[in-house]
Amino acid sequence: MHQFILQFLVILTSLASQTNAKQKQALALLSPIGSIRVHLDYVTPPNSFRLQYIAEKDQLAYWNDNDFSIIYFSLKTGKPVKKTFIEREGPNPNYSNNYLYVDDQTIYTNDVIGAIRQIDINGKSIKKHKNSDPSKINKLPDPMVWTGSPMTYHNSKLYFQVTIGGVFTQPTMAVLNLKTDQIDYFSGYPDFYKEAYWRGGFENIFYTFNPDKELFVFSYAADKNLTSISVKDLNGTNSHYASSPTYGNLKAPRKSMQSPGRKHDEMKFMTQPSFHMIHYDPYRKLYYRFAQDPISENDYYSKDSERSETKAPRIIILNEHLEVIGEKELPRFKYDINMSFVSPKGLCIKLKNNEAEDFIDFEALLWQKE
């Protein structure tokens, strides 16, 4: 009997060693291979939360809040190749403009409240589409579109995130049929969001689209799991574990809307792990899910804004079947993960060049198989 137990323990130890070896191997495979420098003019800010990689041209579309334009950068030269000024409508256009570049002819934006505009490549309005259907939902949503929750075009339909006052029981996504102007709603927060008050940052939603499998994959800031939804069945969901083994269980900042208030929620968010943006890599059939390590309460209450507002990122890598195959820890103050995208070169993340005003550097991290 003792000999059997001893053999069993040896087998367990061997399996654990193999698992650890595989994890270490996976950690080593996502490695920096170089950088991409994008050159800015004097009116283009070094930060934009609306980026889109255009594979057909190897270009980066970059939204400029300062002059209401989209700049197209060649990633081969780092130089701008085109700039489109978006035609404004009304006396007070929505400067938090969100866009989707589809092809050489069409851009979609939701800069006008209550409508999504179809715009030609020269910035002129072609057509308006409604962006909500009050007969199907009890509160009119506004599209919430940025790099982390991109407006997605697929088979003559636009998919986009909507915000509904932080009500965790409402749908979170809309699909607009561009041929019929019909709008439907789907997706929603995981059930545990409805049992407490997940604010301070935990309410954030991120997603990516896998066109090969026609699959949306959602990353909720408080959820260790990813949620996948096929466009063929918007009512069907699947859950996939996608956390770091270093993370414990997350706790909601409070049980209800009652006090202590917003600052307390933010502190609870910053001092716990959380999950962030997710990218699908069509070139290597991988997913990259950003996660963020907690900071200490001392850091949160410090007078140093960088220390109090910055969580160290890590990347959880998943294969095309949404199985975790490794993770990569990143330095705490080196990257701005809000400005990231995937290209043939790899996962590109903006480096924090705090003093640079005339260029942006993106570091490319590549998954390299042995």
Side-chain angles (χ1 to χ4, degrees):
M1 181 67 179
H2 288 132
Q3 185 177 3
F4 172 77
I5 293 173
L6 181 60
Q7 290 176 338
F8 180 69
L9 290 174
V10 168
I11 291 171
L12 284 181
T13 303
S14 175
L15 289 173
S17 298
Q18 292 174 22
T19 301
N20 290 335
K22 288 180 180 179
Q23 289 176 342
K24 289 178 181 178
Q25 184 185 49
L27 283 170
L29 289 176
L30 188 64
S31 306
I33 60 162
S35 61
I36 301 169
R37 175 163 290 184
V38 169
H39 298 272
L40 309 176
D41 59 25
Y42 70 96
V43 295
T44 304
N47 293 291
S48 176
F49 295 126
R50 294 167 186 88
L51 305 176
Q52 183 181 344
Y53 177 69
I54 303 172
E56 296 79 7
K57 297 185 175 183
D58 193 28
Q59 292 178 2
L60 182 67
Y62 187 102
W63 172 251
N64 184 346
D65 272 324
N66 290 344
D67 61 6
F68 221 60
S69 69
I70 300 172
I71 307 162
Y72 302 94
F73 292 98
S74 165
L75 292 189
K76 183 177 180 180
T77 66
K79 302 290 181 64
V81 294
K82 183 176 179 62
K83 186 169 185 174
T84 298
F85 291 93
I86 302 300
E87 183 178 63
R88 308 186 192 195
E89 291 195 0
N92 297 303
N94 178 8
Y95 279 84
S96 60
N97 182 288
N98 306 303
Y99 71 91
L100 169 74
Y101 175 94
V102 178
D103 52 32
D104 283 342
Q105 307 299 321
T106 308
I107 298 167
Y108 289 97
T109 80
N110 66 303
D111 56 306
V112 176
I113 293 175
I116 289 176
R117 278 199 297 161
Q118 183 179 349
I119 296 173
D120 69 23
I121 197 63
N122 296 312
K124 302 296 183 182
S125 293
I126 302 172
K127 186 178 180 180
K128 284 185 181 179
H129 301 269
K130 63 180 182 180
N131 67 11
S132 61
D133 186 344
S135 70
K136 295 182 179 179
I137 205 163
N138 61 17
K139 184 175 176 61
L140 294 179
D142 297 319
M144 291 289 291
V145 185
W146 69 292
T147 311
S149 55
M151 188 184 291
T152 301
Y153 177 90
H154 182 67
N155 288 345
S156 299
K157 294 179 180 179
L158 284 182
Y159 298 81
F160 49 89
Q161 182 187 332
V162 292
T163 179
I164 313 171
V167 180
F168 296 133
T169 56
Q170 296 277 25
T172 54
M173 293 288 292
V175 51
L176 166 65
N177 187 320
L178 294 168
K179 293 181 178 179
T180 65
D181 259 9
Q182 178 181 341
I183 289 183
D184 290 305
Y185 297 94
F186 69 102
S187 189
Y189 284 97
D191 288 341
F192 71 85
Y193 267 90
K194 303 164 189 175
E195 299 167 0
Y197 197 68
W198 291 93
R199 287 300 188 94
F202 284 124
E203 72 275 22
N204 292 330
I205 304 171
F206 313 90
Y207 58 86
T208 190
F209 182 64
N210 179 339
D212 302 323
K213 295 188 175 184
E214 298 184 296
L215 194 71
F216 280 99
V217 181
F218 295 86
S219 174
Y220 297 90
D223 195 356
K224 291 183 175 182
N225 298 322
L226 293 170
T227 299
S228 64
I229 299 177
S230 169
V231 298
K232 298 175 183 178
D233 179 13
L234 295 179
N235 295 316
T237 63
N238 289 290
S239 185
H240 315 267
Y241 177 79
S243 186
S244 169
T246 65
Y247 291 169
N249 293 324
L250 279 64
K251 296 182 180 179
R254 42 186 161 145
K255 292 296 184 182
S256 68
M257 291 181 65
Q258 302 301 318
S259 59
R262 183 177 60 83
K263 289 298 292 182
H264 170 82
D265 296 345
E266 290 176 357
M267 184 272 290
K268 290 295 185 182
F269 172 76
M270 294 300 295
T271 56
Q272 293 189 82
S274 58
F275 300 94
H276 203 266
M277 194 182 301
I278 181 167
H279 293 289
Y280 174 63
D281 182 342
Y283 311 100
R284 286 154 285 270
K285 310 297 183 186
L286 298 172
Y287 295 89
Y288 310 111
R289 187 190 199 187
F290 285 106
Q292 295 175 296
D293 294 350
I295 66 173
S296 67
E297 287 194 28
N298 285 339
D299 272 1
Y300 178 75
Y301 288 113
S302 77
K303 295 181 180 180
D304 183 333
S305 60
E306 189 172 37
R307 283 176 56 202
S308 64
E309 297 173 6
T310 306
K311 303 170 81 169
R314 64 176 64 220
I315 304 169
I316 299 165
I317 305 111
L318 303 99
N319 62 20
E320 63 179 319
H321 307 295
L322 290 165
E323 299 166 332
V324 176
I325 56 175
E327 67 179 50
K328 174 81 172 178
E329 295 181 49
L330 300 179
R332 181 176 174 190
F333 301 109
K334 183 178 180 180
Y335 299 99
D336 181 356
I337 62 174
N338 291 305
M339 293 182 64
S340 56
F341 61 95
V342 172
S343 81
K345 289 187 175 181
L347 173 62
C348 304
I349 314 174
K350 182 195 171 188
L351 293 169
K352 289 185 175 180
N353 299 317
N354 294 327
E355 298 179 0
E357 296 182 354
D358 57 346
F359 66 86
I360 298 171
D361 284 331
F362 293 92
E363 186 166 80
L365 297 141
L366 182 64
W367 180 267
Q368 297 172 309
K369 293 182 180 180
E370 289 191 341

